[in-house]
Amino acid sequence: MKSGNGYVRHLRSLFLSDIHLGTRGCQAELLLDFLNHHDAQRIYLVGDIIDGWRLRKKRFWPASHQEVMNQILERGRRGVELTYIPGNHDEFLRKHTRTRFGCIRFADSIEHLTAEGRRYLVIHGDQFDVVMQNAKWLAFLGDRFYAIALALNTWLNIIRHRLGLNYWSLGSFAKQHVKQFVNFIGQFEDTIFAEIDKRELDGIICGHIHHAADREVNGIHYLNTGDWVESCTAIGENLDGSLEVIRWQGAEQIFARTAKDTETNVAA
């Protein structure tokens, strides 16, 4: 199947989180490009899709943000299973949990069974965030600082672009090199591993910390969807049941994948 100017990749399931529609940092255009080149039998919206925190302060809803919602809802009307698992930024939707609104099912969390028969908890992840659970005011403050960092990052990359340099993420650098961020992510993941082990599941698919991941520890498979503010990542379940992080920088990726698959088939 083709879509506009390229092939569409067919997935069994697609997991998206931390899109933050309603903020200037949202990479809506790149997400639309991603959606145009990916199809799935079911889509999980794993929280912070709409940023209610920011929208309460200032109305910002450009056409590209509405188009993201339109595309997702259109897929639901065509028969794609849509499940919305609200996060902390769209917690106003949590009152709709365990109900259905049109073509969307709402839930606090859900168990996903892969084509391989492995069981995964799908949840936003703020439930495992010590700061969110014990000092919500500090989380709001952190969100404000994050917005400022994104604004600085935008201007920094305008300068880098004029100098002929590639995009560089201040947020991603901090998460990899600043001790406080590294410790926070480690604590978040340790809490998750303990919870999944207790529930006797094979793994978890979550978001919240804007840090995509795919790793296995002591038989527990941990996947984090990342975000559509800086990293532009999602989790895809292939038709054979395997799961992977998809990092999206543009349609050229799918062309490269198609070419690689063609070369493999020819070699075989």
Side-chain angles (χ1 to χ4, degrees):
M1 178 181 176
K2 291 186 178 182
S3 175
N5 57 356
Y7 286 91
V8 172
R9 182 179 177 188
H10 297 280
L11 299 167
R12 184 172 184 266
S13 307
L14 177 63
F15 303 81
L16 298 164
S17 83
D18 299 275
I19 298 173
H20 290 277
L21 294 169
T23 69
R24 295 187 184 279
C26 171
Q27 301 275 2
E29 291 81 4
L30 205 53
L31 177 55
L32 287 169
D33 182 61
F34 174 84
L35 291 172
N36 284 334
H37 292 88
H38 290 80
D39 197 15
Q41 298 169 19
R42 58 190 62 78
I43 297 175
Y44 293 93
L45 302 171
V46 195
D48 288 2
I49 305 304
I50 300 169
D51 197 317
W53 290 9
R54 206 66 54 79
L55 285 171
R56 279 200 299 266
K57 297 175 182 177
K58 187 175 182 180
R59 173 75 179 180
F60 179 76
W61 195 262
S64 59
H65 291 211
Q66 184 60 47
E67 183 58 25
V68 168
M69 292 303 302
N70 291 345
Q71 281 216 26
I72 292 171
L73 290 172
E74 176 58 28
R75 296 187 185 203
R77 287 189 285 267
R78 294 202 324 257
V80 172
E81 294 179 25
L82 294 182
T83 302
Y84 198 133
I85 299 166
N88 50 302
H89 282 259
D90 47 14
E91 61 188 352
F92 64 92
L93 291 170
R94 282 181 169 161
K95 63 183 179 181
H96 295 295
T97 55
R98 300 182 184 86
T99 63
R100 179 175 290 276
F101 184 78
C103 57
I104 302 179
R105 173 178 52 168
F106 288 89
D108 278 332
S109 64
I110 199 166
E111 188 178 302
H112 174 71
L113 185 67
T114 71
E116 294 179 317
R118 303 189 77 190
R119 294 161 54 228
Y120 288 78
L121 175 67
V122 184
I123 192 169
H124 179 62
D126 59 297
Q127 299 87 342
F128 307 111
D129 182 341
V130 175
V131 174
M132 268 301 303
Q133 296 306 313
N134 299 306
K136 196 170 183 178
W137 65 270
L138 191 57
F140 278 107
L141 185 62
D143 178 66
R144 182 58 186 162
F145 278 118
Y146 183 61
I148 293 171
L150 284 176
L152 292 173
N153 200 58
T154 298
W155 285 107
L156 174 63
N157 279 287
I158 288 173
I159 295 170
R160 287 178 62 87
H161 179 71
R162 289 176 179 173
L163 294 174
L165 300 174
N166 293 328
Y167 177 84
W168 183 78
S169 171
L170 177 63
S172 295
F173 177 84
K175 286 172 184 175
Q176 293 178 39
H177 299 284
V178 176
K179 185 178 179 180
Q180 287 82 354
F181 276 109
V182 173
N183 289 343
F184 166 73
I185 291 172
Q187 186 180 35
F188 176 81
E189 294 177 353
D190 288 343
T191 304
I192 282 176
F193 285 126
E195 179 66 21
I196 299 306
D197 184 55
K198 184 171 66 178
R199 296 194 188 199
E200 298 184 344
L201 296 172
D202 294 296
I204 184 170
I205 301 169
C206 63
H208 184 57
I209 60 172
H210 293 211
H211 188 69
D214 177 1
R215 61 194 187 91
E216 195 156 330
V217 176
N218 298 326
I220 296 172
H221 192 189
Y222 167 69
L223 293 133
N224 194 295
T225 52
D227 69 282
W228 286 89
V229 178
E230 292 186 276
S231 58
C232 296
T233 52
I235 298 296
E237 180 191 1
N238 295 304
L239 299 179
D240 63 3
S242 59
L243 293 157
E244 65 173 292
V245 174
I246 305 172
R247 302 180 185 275
W248 192 249
Q249 295 178 329
E252 65 274 6
Q253 289 182 230
I254 208 157
F255 303 146
R257 183 186 180 97
T258 304
K260 183 178 179 179
D261 291 344
T262 301
E263 290 173 4
T264 301
N265 292 334
V266 170

